Amino acid sequence: MEIVICPDAAAAGTLGAEAIVTLVKGKPDAVLGLATGSSPLAIYDELAARHDAGQVSFAQARGFTLDEYVGLPAEHPETYHNVIRRDFVNRVDFGADAVHGPDGLATDIPAFCASYEAAIAAAGGVDLQILGIGTDGHIGFNEPGSSLASRTRIKTLTRQTRVDNARFFDGDIDQVPTHCITQGLGTIMAARHVVLVASGTAKAEAVHQLAEGSVSALWPATILQHHPHVTVLLDEAAASRLQLGSYYRETYAAKPAWQGL
Ligand code: GLP
């Protein structure tokens, strides 16, 4: 796991965007794992700017989103289907039907989840998965207690996550759905490169656990310690609880340029 401590969230976003631009230039039909939330916004802003400047095209790329609320009407602005289109997909040149996400209105949820796993596999698997992290250490919506081998399935959101996300629902926790469909930890672990981005002090403990805690279902993101290629992009605040912060800084400063992310 490579930890990169950046001066601010915008710098972290630029690094994440560069990794995606490099991937898509070398493999135009790359499969991207897309995440919602505020954390990846700096990445998406940078990618949209580079697309506008003619530096990158997503015309042949494919995308799979991590998760979705269960039961929100399709036209609700906070479905992750709508959020990812607003935040990223509609700002670049993905083909129609190139980006898929869990169906929060599926009538047969287990059958839908199996078909979603099959669709990711049929696309050749995810080349680069963008992730944020919840204050309780969740990735996707894999809340504490999630099986470390889990695949796409229905989950119940914790009260903490619903409190955190109430800001998108008029500050009213009662409007936040209680259930979601999320790619599992095992699904995320199958991505070839994972780029996790976090900023702000609220994420500092989760980031410390992610990189330096014991691997445990209590902090689901810790499963990423078993992944061979994870890049963690942080601002100073999110990095503030890291025990080995100075080592990560020295390592990144001394990194040979040819290694890339
Ligand atoms: C949400 C999403 C996650 C996201 C996390 C953090 O609940 N399901 O994919 O990473 O919480 O969100 P944010 O980046 O807005 O802090």
Side-chain angles (χ1 to χ4, degrees):
M1 182 179 292
E2 178 176 32
I3 314 284
V4 185
I5 302 169
C6 301
D8 53 35
T14 300
L15 276 184
E18 273 164 11
I20 293 164
V21 169
T22 302
L23 168 68
V24 173
K25 280 187 173 164
K27 184 179 182 186
D29 63 346
V31 178
L32 300 176
L34 301 175
T36 48
S38 46
S39 306
L41 288 180
I43 295 180
Y44 298 147
D45 288 347
E46 180 69 19
L47 289 174
R50 293 198 185 204
H51 170 262
D52 290 347
Q55 294 170 9
V56 65
S57 170
F58 297 89
Q60 295 178 57
R62 283 85 40 87
F64 289 90
T65 58
L66 280 171
D67 46 14
E68 181 59 276
Y69 293 112
V70 166
L72 283 185
E75 66 279 7
H76 194 291
E78 294 306 326
T79 68
Y80 284 170
H81 174 96
N82 292 330
V83 169
I84 199 66
R85 277 159 183 76
R86 199 161 64 228
D87 287 349
F88 180 47
V89 173
N90 291 350
R91 300 169 69 192
V92 295
D93 59 345
F94 279 104
D97 286 336
V99 175
H100 304 275
D103 178 2
L105 295 172
T107 45
D108 184 341
I109 289 178
F112 171 78
C113 293
S115 73
Y116 196 62
E117 288 279 338
I120 295 171
V126 170
D127 290 299
L128 187 153
Q129 176 66 55
I130 302 167
L131 288 182
I133 186 168
T135 57
D136 62 3
H138 73 244
I139 51 176
F141 266 138
N142 292 281
E143 297 284 30
S146 290
S147 158
L148 299 179
S150 49
R151 310 302 301 204
T152 303
R153 69 216 183 288
I154 190 168
K155 288 290 288 181
T156 306
L157 297 174
T158 61
R159 185 162 184 86
Q160 179 65 52
T161 296
R162 294 177 68 230
V163 167
D164 288 347
N165 289 3
R167 67 189 192 280
F168 299 114
F169 294 85
D170 307 324
D172 177 9
I173 188 179
D174 293 333
Q175 290 183 40
V176 184
T178 53
H179 291 79
C180 63
I181 294 173
T182 181
Q183 286 188 29
L185 294 170
T187 319
I188 293 168
M189 286 291 285
R192 289 182 273 282
H193 182 194
V194 174
V195 176
L196 185 148
V197 58
S199 57
T201 43
K203 302 293 176 69
E205 176 64 17
V207 165
H208 162 61
Q209 295 291 339
L210 155 73
E212 300 171 333
S214 304
V215 175
S216 160
L218 201 53
W219 291 94
T222 57
I223 189 61
L224 295 173
Q225 293 177 27
H226 282 287
H227 193 287
H229 191 187
V230 176
T231 307
V232 179
L233 303 174
L234 305 173
D235 71 353
E236 293 282 351
S240 59
R241 296 209 52 182
L242 288 170
Q243 215 170 307
L244 302 180
S246 20
Y247 174 65
Y248 307 136
R249 287 177 211 276
E250 284 165 24
T251 305
Y252 187 67
K255 187 176 182 182
W258 55 261
Q259 274 191 309
L261 280 185

